[in-house]
Amino acid sequence: MEASHFLQSRRSFAATLAHSRHAHEHNKLRHCSIAAVLTRPAENITIATGKSSTIIIPADAVTGAEEKSRVYNDNWFDRMAIDHLSQNVQAATGLKNNKSGFDSLVEAATAASRKFNPAKQRELVIQALDSAFPKPIFSLLRAILPQSKFAREYFAIFTTIFFAWLVGPCEVRESELDGRKEKNVVYIKKCRFLEETNCVGMCINMCKMPSQSFIKSSLGTPVNMVPNFDDMSCEMIFGQDPPELSNDPALKQPCFKLCNDSVYICFTLFILIAASYKS
């Protein structure tokens, strides 16, 4: 009997305590309400001020570590090529770093993107590419492989074999050019450079634009690089002239919401506001 009475008193006390705690939290939320909302990369990051604050965080900012599951096992050729290109970018920009591997290349590109305007970035990358790749070989290829279906298909295959270290896994696909089918497209499933930099501007100014110019001048074959910023894929279409700079759809893309700087700022603000809420 006493035990039953004791259990009833204990349940009543717990219910009263829970109700009191709920009332306290409800009263606290009336003064400061914070909602963390996961959004798609295409949506804006907004922070409203006032009595009620809403933080909108890109979903990938929270789950990026989980989604980034691809691991690159670079072989000796990959490491040599990455280091060679990184050193040439650093030499062209005059911005050295002490990192190694692909991190070194990303750091070199990031430093250049922060210091130079877009036009200068493109100029410096072309300069780095000119230094990185031997001109005699490209001159020979241009002489023996003038513009033709065979040349375009050869360049597509060559890219998938020798440049996967830079762009990630890729494959040759077919397209229609001048009314006939050709295997002249390199489809990059998820660009390694874009994935590591998470920046539209760096993709355009330090990869797409300078690569198009370099390939056209070195091999005599136009190429149009068409990045897809939704899934980080890209198409390199050999034999297709890229659109004019002012009309290129890639340049009309807003700042990538997965940008490393944006994620850092967003998380910093979230932590600060959450800390103030808890206090």
Side-chain angles (χ1 to χ4, degrees):
M1 193 73 172
E2 291 181 359
S4 175
H5 180 71
F6 173 76
L7 289 174
Q8 280 187 337
S9 299
R10 186 175 179 180
R11 291 194 195 99
S12 177
F13 176 75
T16 303
L17 182 62
H19 178 75
S20 176
R21 184 176 180 182
H22 175 74
H24 172 73
E25 293 298 327
H26 178 73
N27 186 54
K28 193 174 182 180
L29 286 172
R30 289 177 60 189
H31 294 87
C32 178
S33 176
I34 297 183
V37 183
L38 301 183
T39 69
R40 295 178 58 193
E43 297 178 7
N44 292 327
I45 298 175
T46 60
I47 296 181
T49 59
K51 291 184 178 179
S52 178
S53 300
T54 301
I55 304 173
I56 301 180
I57 304 175
D60 299 83
V62 178
T63 61
E66 297 177 0
E67 291 185 356
K68 193 175 179 180
S69 57
R70 187 188 300 277
V71 176
Y72 292 92
N73 297 313
D74 298 316
N75 58 35
W76 67 269
F77 173 81
D78 299 332
R79 292 191 296 270
M80 182 179 67
I82 292 168
D83 182 65
H84 181 61
L85 181 57
S86 176
Q87 292 300 322
N88 279 274
V89 172
Q90 292 178 54
T93 61
L95 303 172
K96 300 291 184 179
N97 70 71
N98 297 320
K99 295 187 177 182
S100 60
F102 208 84
D103 288 340
S104 176
L105 178 60
V106 171
E107 178 63 26
T110 302
S113 71
R114 290 173 177 170
K115 182 171 183 179
F116 305 105
N117 62 45
K120 187 64 175 178
Q121 291 173 36
R122 296 193 286 269
E123 177 187 328
L124 290 171
V125 172
I126 291 175
Q127 181 182 327
L129 292 174
D130 281 331
S131 302
F133 300 102
K135 291 183 179 180
I137 293 179
F138 281 100
S139 298
L140 178 62
L141 286 173
R142 184 169 182 171
I144 64 177
L145 292 173
Q147 275 208 66
S148 64
K149 176 183 178 182
F150 176 78
R152 291 186 288 270
E153 294 186 338
Y154 174 82
F155 292 143
I157 295 172
F158 184 87
T159 301
T160 61
I161 295 174
F162 292 102
F163 286 92
W165 56 269
L166 178 60
V167 298
C170 46
E171 61 186 33
V172 175
R173 288 190 174 182
E174 192 176 65
S175 75
E176 186 172 311
L177 185 65
D178 298 329
R180 62 179 182 178
K181 300 288 186 178
E182 291 186 10
K183 293 183 177 180
N184 63 324
V185 178
V186 175
Y187 175 71
I188 303 165
K189 299 177 182 179
K190 189 172 186 179
C191 179
R192 183 179 186 179
F193 183 75
L194 179 57
E195 181 181 19
E196 292 292 338
T197 59
N198 285 328
C199 179
V200 166
M202 291 175 67
C203 168
I204 294 171
N205 299 311
M206 308 205 73
C207 182
K208 172 180 162 63
M209 294 299 179
S211 294
Q212 290 175 169
S213 298
F214 176 76
I215 292 172
K216 177 66 181 292
S217 62
S218 300
L219 299 176
T221 299
V223 62
N224 182 23
M225 298 181 68
V226 186
N228 183 331
F229 296 115
D230 289 330
D231 61 7
M232 294 189 182
S233 66
C234 184
E235 286 187 335
M236 296 180 65
I237 309 172
F238 286 93
Q240 183 180 95
D241 288 303
E244 293 294 329
L245 192 63
S246 58
N247 295 324
D248 197 317
L251 271 72
K252 299 176 183 179
Q253 173 74 22
C255 184
F256 205 26
K257 298 308 178 294
L258 296 183
C259 174
N260 285 330
D261 291 336
S262 296
V263 171
Y264 172 76
I265 293 171
C266 183
F267 267 119
T268 301
L269 289 171
F270 174 73
I271 291 171
L272 289 174
I273 297 176
S276 66
Y277 165 67
K278 289 181 179 180
S279 64

